[in-house]
């Protein structure tokens, strides 16, 4: 898979020249809560990660794609399939748009739609799930827009800055 193209954005595999972008995203402490990151990543580790980004989803058990505007190669966000489980035909899905300027413009919605379609049609997944902080109403609305159902709350699931926070589990079954 080289790219998945939409009307205003496309999804592409990570490239070696994404090093600075991924380094910046992974080391942005303001999003560590979303990404379950606890420590900074070195450029060396991210370079190694990018060198192995060619691994098949069946091998790596995850797929991370860059979200790009159609008029340019540079990334504005990342979208992931994680915890890929080919036996049970399911995976988690997560998305992050980097700058506030790029949020609310429809890129996240288009990217999510493209990856859902790819997951169900190409990977033949039966279901996708998303773990969302209940305070993140924008993400909850985005996933609900695509038919994800709130199937429950994991109480005191994540320890963030010394406080436990709930996490909501959303699920989409392939019809």
């Amino acid at each position: 898979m080289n790219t998945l193209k939409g009307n205003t954005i496309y999804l592409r595999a990570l490239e070696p020249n994404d090093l600075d972008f991924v380094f910046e995203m992974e080391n942005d402490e303001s999003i560590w809560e979303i990404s379950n990151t606890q420590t900074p990543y070195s450029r060396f580790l991210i370079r190694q990660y990018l060198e192995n980004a060619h691994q098949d989803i069946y091998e790596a058990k995850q797929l991370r794609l860059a979200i790009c505007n159609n008029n340019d190669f540079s990334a504005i966000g990342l979208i992931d399939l994680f915890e890929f489980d080919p036996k049970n035909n399911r995976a988690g899905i997560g998305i992050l748009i980097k700058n506030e300027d790029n949020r609310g413009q429809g890129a996240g919605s288009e990217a999510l739609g493209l990856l859902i379609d790819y997951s169900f049609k190409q990977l033949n997944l039966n279901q996708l799930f998303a773990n969302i902080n209940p305070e993140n109403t924008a993400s909850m609305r985005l996933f609900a827009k695509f038919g994800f159902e709130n199937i429950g709350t994991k109480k005191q699931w994540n320890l963030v800055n010394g406080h436990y926070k709930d996490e909501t589990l959303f699920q989409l079954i392939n019809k």
Side-chain angles (χ1 to χ4, degrees):
M1 174 187 64
N2 288 341
T3 63
L4 295 169
K5 193 163 177 50
N7 294 326
T8 61
I9 60 100
Y10 65 95
L11 307 179
R12 66 166 171 78
L14 293 175
E15 300 280 347
N17 62 352
D18 289 319
L19 175 66
D20 290 337
F21 179 76
V22 176
F23 178 81
E24 193 176 322
M25 294 280 287
E26 293 291 355
N27 288 297
D28 181 350
E29 289 183 56
S30 69
I31 61 174
W32 281 6
E33 180 180 342
I34 297 166
S35 63
N36 266 339
T37 302
Q38 296 178 0
T39 59
Y41 285 92
S42 69
R43 286 184 182 282
F44 174 77
L45 285 176
I46 292 173
R47 187 175 292 113
Q48 283 186 315
Y49 170 77
L50 290 173
E51 287 171 2
N52 291 315
H54 66 278
Q55 286 183 325
D56 184 272
I57 189 171
Y58 291 90
E59 196 177 354
K61 303 296 184 222
Q62 74 171 34
L63 174 67
R64 174 170 275 185
L65 301 171
I67 303 168
C68 303
N69 287 318
N70 273 345
N71 58 357
D72 147 353
F73 190 75
S74 63
I76 62 166
L78 298 169
I79 189 163
D80 298 345
L81 291 177
F82 60 91
E83 295 180 23
F84 175 66
D85 180 350
K87 178 187 180 294
N88 295 299
N89 294 318
R90 67 175 169 240
I93 190 167
I95 184 169
L96 183 63
I97 304 293
K98 183 180 175 204
N99 295 329
E100 291 288 331
D101 299 345
N102 293 316
R103 295 182 190 150
Q105 308 293 318
S109 183
E110 195 168 354
L112 186 58
L114 287 169
L115 196 56
I116 290 169
D117 191 56
Y118 174 79
S119 298
F120 288 162
K121 291 181 179 171
Q122 300 300 317
L123 297 177
N124 297 312
L125 294 183
N126 179 56
Q127 63 179 285
L128 292 167
F129 66 89
N131 302 306
I132 303 173
N133 178 332
E135 296 168 10
N136 189 342
T137 56
S139 283
M140 292 174 78
R141 278 193 312 272
L142 173 63
F143 282 85
K145 173 182 169 181
F146 284 93
F148 279 78
E149 292 182 46
N150 177 340
I151 61 166
T153 300
K154 299 180 265 184
K155 299 290 186 185
Q156 298 185 15
W157 197 255
N158 296 311
L159 181 62
V160 180
N161 297 325
H163 297 79
Y164 287 97
K165 290 190 170 188
D166 294 349
E167 185 173 84
T168 305
L169 179 60
F170 279 75
Q171 181 183 43
L172 178 65
I173 304 291
N174 186 357
K175 293 181 173 55

